[in-house]
Amino acid sequence: MSGPRRIAVLGSTGSIGTQALDVIRQLPERFAVDSLAGGRNHGLLAQQIAEFRPRAASWQGAASADLEAAVRSTGCRFAPVEDLALASDIPLIATAGAAGLFPTLAALKAGMPVAIANKEVLVMAGNVVQKALREHGGRLHPVDSEHSAIWQCLWGEEDHGIRRILLTASGGAFRDFDADSLAVVTAEQALNHPTWNMGPKITVDSASLMNKGMETIEAMWLFDVPMEKVEVVLHRESIVHSLVEFSDGSVKAQMGVPDMRLPIQLALAYPERMPTPPMPSLDLAAAGSLSFGRPDMERFPCLRLAIEAGRRGGTFPCAMAAADEVAVGRFLDGEVGFLDIPRVIEAVLEKHDGIADPDIETILEVDLQARDKARAVKPGVPV
Ligand code: MG
């Protein structure tokens, strides 16, 4: 390899973005920051620009004084996120929501590899992404710990049939709560995740199991299997990151200490594995035992709703993801209860007229409409 791999870190101020910069910081011979995109957190983006001196950057809104100063002193230039993705060797798509869609598609249409941490891209537009992959020869390197695990299990197995994909789930902050307790949990309680350290939206999605539901849809598109072949298994220790069962009944698992920097490093360095940042060895004897169980779709209806949306396909997953984002926002604002999140989503999906194999314009329109509907739903009041 000639020189460090030049990375566009899109979503650099978020949880995955800052951990990716930590990986890049520790491997200066292998990785360089080509560009950064930081949304509205101008203060942190300004610090990152001062440290990494990227060639270009992107942000939302009028630049704050410190951001302007950082840009001027480093000679960094503003550019749209699609341009940032295209100018890099590999973009890391770590933006939340629909913002990840266009840079991902631009890079895939240019036949590039893309490190994908954003969930919505595949949940909203899996069919469009798959089409771009087929027609232009790009590649997706999954960053999510579960999909990275499945990806690793499949290396060298390309010609072998997948019987099942087993996605592990830690169960989230409320895994042991009964229905009465779930009805009164607060946003603060939801934000206290047992194992992984993540942003607020994905932490609430982890507590409701919507995150796991979205991951089943992502797995379907990433590994080209029908929803019937994707199963969720509860595993509270977060040591087994997911498993693949092959046609002969053999099951492969990928394990490791739960640290997002490992899948991030792998998605950026593929096909290599880097010894940096240093990971502690997995101490199975100290862990003692690993537990597995079935998820409870009665207590956690978001998982059922997501799997159903994935099975129905078309625009159903997009409408579901949009409704979820609004419902989680309303929960974080204290406007609705935790169990109202699936109620809002279900109300939106009940009224949704699905469209098969949608194009991008249709997807974006469905996204906006579902958001409007989700804002209007009054939980407990029939729609
Ligand atoms: Mg995950």
Side-chain angles (χ1 to χ4, degrees):
M1 189 164 59
S2 57
R5 200 168 278 184
R6 295 172 305 118
I7 298 160
V9 183
L10 309 185
S12 63
T13 56
S15 168
I16 295 290
T18 51
Q19 293 181 81
L21 289 177
D22 189 38
V23 169
I24 295 169
R25 188 183 282 121
Q26 297 189 48
L27 286 162
E29 303 83 29
R30 311 312 299 264
F31 302 131
V33 173
D34 186 58
S35 60
L36 296 169
R40 296 193 179 276
N41 189 346
H42 292 188
L44 181 53
L45 181 62
Q47 286 175 31
Q48 293 175 343
I49 289 174
E51 179 184 351
F52 291 96
R53 309 182 73 84
R55 191 185 48 75
S58 189
W59 56 85
Q60 288 172 343
S64 65
D66 50 347
L67 179 55
E68 226 167 70
V71 165
R72 204 175 317 115
S73 68
T74 58
C76 169
R77 304 184 332 134
F78 179 89
V81 284
E82 288 90 334
D83 295 357
L84 301 184
L86 286 171
S88 69
D89 292 328
I90 178 169
L92 169 68
I93 312 292
T95 48
L101 205 49
F102 289 105
T104 302
L105 286 173
L108 290 180
K109 285 179 180 169
M112 294 171 62
V114 173
I116 183 110
N118 169 300
K119 288 209 158 32
E120 289 83 355
V121 168
L122 281 164
V123 173
M124 289 173 75
N127 64 316
V128 177
V129 171
Q130 206 176 58
K131 209 175 290 169
L133 280 166
R134 286 203 174 124
E135 287 172 8
H136 305 280
R139 288 191 316 275
L140 286 176
H141 298 179
V143 169
D144 206 355
S145 59
E146 294 82 357
H147 303 101
S148 176
I150 298 162
W151 188 44
Q152 293 174 63
C153 288
L154 291 171
W155 291 355
E157 305 277 5
E158 289 76 10
D159 298 331
H160 302 149
I162 299 172
R163 191 194 279 174
R164 276 190 310 165
I165 284 176
L166 295 160
L167 270 177
T168 52
S170 71
F174 306 141
R175 58 194 177 195
D176 300 320
F177 284 39
D178 61 22
D180 292 341
S181 318
L182 285 174
V184 293
V185 295
T186 61
E188 289 71 39
Q189 284 173 283
L191 295 180
N192 184 21
H193 190 274
T195 324
W196 298 98
N197 183 16
M198 309 171 292
K201 157 74 165 58
I202 188 171
T203 305
V204 175
D205 281 342
S206 293
S208 71
L209 294 196
M210 175 50 88
N211 180 58
K212 204 52 57 182
M214 291 199 194
E215 287 179 358
T216 63
I217 298 171
E218 287 181 87
M220 192 174 78
W221 291 117
L222 276 169
F223 307 109
D224 203 10
V225 294
M227 191 52 112
E228 290 67 32
K229 290 192 173 185
V230 184
E231 272 179 42
V232 174
V233 59
L234 280 185
H235 167 54
R236 42 177 76 220
E237 295 83 6
S238 294
I239 286 176
V240 177
H241 299 311
S242 278
L243 316 88
V244 177
E245 184 180 82
F246 294 94
S247 51
D248 62 353
S250 181
V251 177
K252 272 166 90 171
Q254 188 268 338
M255 297 194 250
V257 290
D259 187 323
M260 281 310 293
R261 292 175 305 169
L262 197 158
I264 291 168
Q265 164 267 116
L266 196 57
L268 297 179
Y270 177 83
E272 292 182 75
R273 290 184 185 273
M274 297 287 164
T276 313
M279 291 291 153
S281 283
L282 177 61
D283 190 343
L284 282 174
S289 60
L290 301 177
S291 63
F292 300 94
R294 282 183 217 295
D296 182 346
M297 303 221 202
E298 296 286 315
R299 271 190 308 142
F300 299 99
C302 282
L303 179 58
R304 174 180 55 79
L305 289 170
I307 290 172
E308 276 172 19
R311 278 208 189 108
R312 298 175 84 170
T315 48
F316 277 96
C318 171
M320 179 208 69
D324 175 64
E325 195 169 328
V326 170
V328 169
R330 291 177 69 182
F331 169 67
L332 288 172
D333 290 342
E335 194 196 319
V336 301
F338 184 71
L339 291 180
D340 292 326
I341 295 172
R343 290 185 189 123
V344 168
I345 298 167
E346 192 152 30
V348 171
L349 291 181
E350 267 170 14
K351 296 263 168 180
H352 181 63
D353 290 321
I355 300 162
D357 199 22
D359 57 19
I360 278 293
E361 290 72 28
T362 308
I363 287 165
L364 294 176
E365 203 177 302
V366 165
D367 176 70
L368 286 179
Q369 286 172 358
R371 279 168 201 274
D372 283 346
K373 286 180 192 154
R375 273 187 280 268
V377 173
K378 293 188 179 60
V381 179
V383 279

